[in-house]
Amino acid sequence: MLHLRLIAPAEKTDDVVRLIENTVGATHLVVMPGAARNPAGDVVMCDVAREAGDELIGALRELDLDKSGSIAVENIDLSLSERADKAEDDAPGEGVDAVIWEHLTDATHEESTLSITYLAFLTLATMIAACGVVLDNAILIVGAMAVGPEFGPLAAFSTAIVQRHPRLALRSMNALLVGFAVAMLVTVGFSYFMDAVSLFSAEQLDALRPNTNFIYRPDWFSFVVAVLAGCAGTLSLTSAKSGALVGVAISVTTVPAAANAAVAFSYNEYKQAWGSTEQLLLNLLGIVLAGTLTLLFQKWLWRKRP
């Protein structure tokens, strides 16, 4: 269930209440006339089944309530109410399959912000991965993939394509390009420093590295895994099962590929650097493609529900 807290101008309150009353899956309607002060208006609250939430939020936006008042949405973790149970039963579809597009757009917009924190996480993840590739340490590689925040902009880019938000698409692309460029440049400097203190060496990079040599040897399996991970990651976002994102993060080699390319470049190993760059681009393409197709399929499937 979702809880909606609305602020409506007095002249729109009747329309808002009527809309909620006519929404199958909405219940627990509360109206408090004149309770809001900034902006001034009436406070309207209700609970709605997740599967009916996107339609109701869209209708409220058509009333321009997001401009003249306010629309706040919260997830309800526990609701002990027969009316709530009936509302969920009456609403068509299953809540776990529903996509709250406004929430998805807002969440991915935040995740795709090119912030200091985002750059710090991506850079630190790339440097950790650099240690992993030189030492041929799979544990460090997995740790770096878990730390990397790059799935946020990738999911945002897929959402922007499906929802036709060019600004979100540009914002996401900017976060990816600038983020990886900064992370790789810093990692090149980090590699020079580690070489100067005799912690990195060209011999370590050129060794067989059985645990990590796949990073600069992309193949079809790399693309297949990226596609599968993109599907799983997108589903975890749309169904609010964020725990699956950790599994997605350690399934693709975006950050390790960027790290290997940076370290290889610092040692003039351009063939290995190019192979790592191909791995990076292949993973990015697979995730975006899978995420976009998953969202399109979810959108089509939800429209076909009874």
Side-chain angles (χ1 to χ4, degrees):
M1 293 289 288
L2 302 174
H3 177 70
L4 271 64
R5 186 185 73 250
L6 314 172
I7 297 178
E11 64 273 13
K12 292 188 177 183
T13 300
D14 289 341
D15 293 333
V16 171
V17 171
R18 191 178 304 111
L19 175 62
I20 295 172
E21 289 176 336
N22 291 333
T23 299
V24 176
T27 187
H28 301 158
L29 176 61
V30 177
V31 181
M32 294 183 287
R37 292 293 180 267
N38 184 20
D42 303 330
V43 175
V44 181
M45 295 185 290
C46 71
D47 297 339
V48 62
R50 182 180 174 86
E51 50 268 45
D54 187 67
E55 183 178 352
L56 177 57
I57 294 170
L60 290 169
R61 293 198 66 183
E62 289 180 2
L63 294 175
D64 289 330
L65 201 63
D66 55 323
K67 299 175 182 177
S68 58
S70 171
I71 304 173
V73 184
E74 299 174 309
N75 281 308
I76 299 176
D77 294 327
L78 176 64
S79 179
L80 303 177
S81 167
E82 290 186 0
R83 286 183 176 272
D85 294 340
K86 186 178 185 304
E88 288 186 319
D89 292 339
D90 291 343
E94 295 293 333
V96 71
D97 296 330
V99 179
I100 310 300
W101 291 100
E102 294 296 336
H103 178 269
L104 180 63
T105 302
D106 184 70
T108 53
H109 182 278
E110 181 179 348
E111 291 292 327
S112 64
T113 300
L114 185 62
S115 62
I116 298 298
T117 301
Y118 168 81
L119 287 174
F121 270 115
L122 188 57
T123 302
L124 290 170
T126 307
M127 289 192 291
I128 293 171
C131 296
V133 297
V134 172
L135 298 175
D136 194 33
N137 189 315
I139 295 176
L140 290 176
I141 294 296
V142 171
M145 289 190 286
V147 172
E150 73 279 5
F151 187 79
L154 290 169
F157 191 75
S158 296
T159 302
I161 293 174
V162 175
Q163 292 294 90
R164 298 178 184 177
H165 286 310
R167 287 187 179 180
L168 180 58
L170 289 174
R171 185 188 187 98
S172 307
M173 186 60 64
N174 182 57
L176 285 171
L177 295 178
V178 175
F180 273 109
V182 170
M184 292 172 74
L185 283 173
V186 173
T187 303
V188 169
F190 175 70
S191 179
Y192 285 137
F193 169 78
M194 295 294 279
D195 181 78
V197 296
S198 301
L199 292 176
F200 282 7
S201 68
E203 289 74 18
Q204 288 174 300
L205 187 68
D206 292 335
L208 293 177
R209 292 164 51 198
N211 293 320
T212 58
N213 61 23
F214 68 92
I215 293 173
Y216 58 89
R217 295 176 179 174
D219 53 25
W220 279 108
F221 279 107
S222 302
F223 184 73
V224 169
V225 171
V227 168
L228 296 176
C231 291
T234 302
L235 286 173
S236 71
L237 287 176
T238 58
S239 62
K241 295 185 180 295
S242 58
L245 280 177
V246 177
V248 172
I250 61 177
S251 298
V252 291
T253 54
T254 48
V255 166
N260 200 89
V263 175
F265 182 84
S266 70
Y267 284 107
N268 299 323
E269 293 283 351
Y270 299 123
K271 182 178 180 181
Q272 196 173 138
W274 176 245
S276 301
T277 303
E278 286 184 326
Q279 180 79 275
L280 173 62
L281 296 176
L282 201 61
N283 276 269
L284 294 177
L285 175 62
I287 293 173
V288 169
L289 179 63
T292 303
L293 293 177
T294 300
L295 289 174
L296 288 172
F297 179 73
Q298 286 182 287
K299 200 170 190 178
W300 174 83
L301 191 64
W302 192 250
R303 288 176 176 173
K304 295 296 182 180
R305 76 190 191 281

